[in-house]
Amino acid sequence: MQQGSGLEMLIILAVFGVIFYFMVFRPQSKRQKEQRNLLSSLSKGDEILTSGGLIGKITKVSAEDENIVIALNDNNEVMISRNFVVATLPKGTMKALKP
C-alpha cells in the first residue's frame, strides 16, 4: 500500500503542475508578449493611454531612448517612459473626449 500512495501523490502533483501552467504561467507570458509588441509598435501620431490615466498623442519617439513625448493638448507636452503605456486608442479618441 505504501507504493500505491506514493505514486498517487506524484500523479496529483503532476496534475497540479499542469493546472498551474495553464492557469497562471501561460496567460502571464502571453500578456507580457502582447505588451512587448505594443511598446515596440509605438509610432508618432498614435493616441495612447498611460498607466497613470493620461491620454495623449505621441509627438516624438526615439529608437535608442526608452522615453517618448506625448501631447496632452495643444499647449502641454510630457516626456514619459515607454513602459507606462498601457494601450493604444483608436484615432480621434482625444477629439471625442474634449468638452
Side-chain angles (χ1 to χ4, degrees):
M1 250 206 205
Q2 289 286 345
Q3 292 176 349
S5 65
L7 183 60
E8 290 172 3
M9 182 61 94
L10 287 176
I11 292 172
I12 290 172
L13 286 174
V15 168
F16 279 126
V18 169
I19 290 171
F20 177 79
Y21 174 77
F22 283 106
M23 297 289 286
V24 176
F25 182 73
R26 190 165 181 237
Q28 181 180 359
S29 63
K30 186 176 179 181
R31 279 191 301 271
Q32 287 174 344
K33 182 178 179 184
E34 289 172 356
Q35 182 69 11
R36 271 186 266 125
N37 290 339
L38 170 72
L39 296 179
S40 66
S41 69
L42 292 177
S43 62
K44 184 176 178 179
D46 287 346
E47 294 182 10
I48 60 167
L49 173 67
T50 68
S51 60
L54 296 176
I55 295 176
K57 182 181 266 187
I58 297 176
T59 58
K60 185 177 178 185
V61 178
S62 177
E64 65 276 349
D65 194 10
E66 287 297 314
N67 296 326
I68 59 173
V69 177
I70 61 171
L72 302 176
N73 56 30
D74 295 335
N75 301 325
N76 297 328
E77 287 189 344
V78 178
M79 181 182 291
I80 64 168
S81 174
R82 283 181 189 246
N83 296 329
F84 287 105
V85 175
V86 175
T88 57
L89 303 172
K91 299 284 183 191
T93 301
M94 287 182 65
K95 288 183 181 179
L97 293 176
K98 287 185 180 179

